[in-house]
Amino acid sequence: SKPFQVLPLVEGGGMEYFGLTERELAVMCASHNGTDEHVKVISGIQQKLGVSAADLLCGTHTPGDPATAERMFLNGEENSPLRHNCSGKHSGMLAQALLYGDPTANYIDPQHPVQQRILRTFSEMTGVPVGEVILGTDGCSAPVFAVPLRAAAYAFARLADPSALPEPRRSALMRIFAALTAHPDMVAGPHTFDTELMTAGRGEILTKGGAEGYQAIALLPGARKKFAGGLGITLKISDGDL
């Protein structure tokens, strides 16, 4: 859901308002592995917003990058919410609150204006009415959505080819696709499926894994000349394994 959770920020002019870079946009859509480079980029976002790690409500967990986790353990380094795989997403939610004049406190509450705006946007992208989107709580404490696989694939197809959508949504989706595929190291991390596939795809393939064995892929129109429109693919492992 992360490319669509950041969409209200991008189409609302948040990139320009805060002076955010495409690399920073990529990490706001990421399930990153908590490397030092990820922390550096997210810290840069927070400096531009005037917030800190203390404002994040995602909690902490061991970094997903094994080398980083081992180094931190051996050196006794203190962990931080910045290393949480959703810290970029949460920073983006704080940016949305600041952009639209919403309170930054408890921005993960499903009734918070940020989450209500995201829910409407997600509904529009998937074609599933707001009342039919099943809400849950993600491992990072933010709201998460359940929709049919076909609806999620439809949203990713539109992410790949938003040509039928009006502005500013069309340009915002194109910008998100370009940012993720240009900076795949920000989206996941070293030796991960998402980063490796997007690196090999050279800007034509966007892929984003999710919790509970979920994988979504968006292919640009005409990629490898095998199809005309944008293609969205979603997969779900039935036993919920990662």
Side-chain angles (χ1 to χ4, degrees):
S1 303
K2 289 177 181 176
F4 311 116
Q5 289 172 307
V6 81
L7 184 52
L9 175 69
V10 180
E11 63 183 1
M15 297 292 292
E16 294 76 16
Y17 185 81
F18 295 110
L20 299 169
T21 68
E22 306 307 302
R23 192 164 177 80
E24 290 168 337
L25 174 55
V27 84
M28 286 190 288
C29 299
S31 297
H32 65 79
N33 277 359
T35 67
D36 291 350
E37 182 63 18
H38 293 131
V39 170
K40 177 183 176 181
V41 175
I42 295 166
S43 296
I45 296 172
Q46 296 196 338
Q47 288 175 7
K48 293 175 181 179
L49 300 180
V51 301
S52 70
D55 296 300
L56 297 178
L57 300 178
C58 56
T60 60
H61 62 61
T62 302
D65 179 57
T68 301
E70 181 179 19
R71 187 204 73 211
M72 290 179 64
F73 174 76
L74 293 175
N75 295 341
E77 296 178 37
E78 185 177 355
N79 202 353
S80 162
L82 295 177
R83 294 194 187 272
H84 192 289
N85 72 322
C86 292
S87 59
K89 177 183 80 173
H90 280 248
S91 297
M93 289 175 176
L94 284 169
Q96 282 191 48
L98 293 168
L99 177 67
Y100 288 100
D102 302 325
T104 55
N106 204 24
Y107 63 86
I108 58 173
D109 188 307
Q111 300 306 314
H112 191 283
V114 165
Q115 299 304 332
Q116 288 294 300
R117 190 178 299 113
I118 288 172
L119 176 59
R120 290 193 299 271
T121 301
F122 184 78
S123 168
E124 292 163 3
M125 288 301 302
T126 58
V128 178
V130 167
E132 296 179 20
V133 177
I134 300 172
L135 292 179
T137 302
D138 206 344
C140 66
S141 300
V144 69
F145 317 114
V147 295
L149 279 171
R150 182 179 181 85
Y154 176 58
F156 271 80
R158 300 171 93 189
L159 175 59
D161 181 11
S163 58
L165 298 174
E167 294 290 3
R169 180 149 298 176
R170 178 168 66 246
S171 294
L173 287 167
M174 292 174 64
R175 190 169 191 174
I176 291 168
F177 189 103
L180 269 68
T181 54
H183 302 282
D185 59 314
M186 286 290 101
V187 180
H191 314 298
T192 62
F193 178 81
D194 286 347
T195 295
E196 295 290 342
L197 181 56
M198 283 195 284
T199 300
R202 299 182 179 182
E204 294 184 338
I205 303 172
L206 184 154
T207 178
K208 180 68 186 66
E212 303 302 324
Y214 208 102
Q215 189 73 41
I217 298 172
L219 294 156
L220 283 182
R224 303 294 183 239
K225 299 180 180 180
K226 293 185 181 297
F227 52 91
L231 182 64
I233 303 169
T234 50
L235 309 169
K236 176 74 169 69
I237 305 302
S238 61
D239 67 356
D241 198 4
L242 294 175

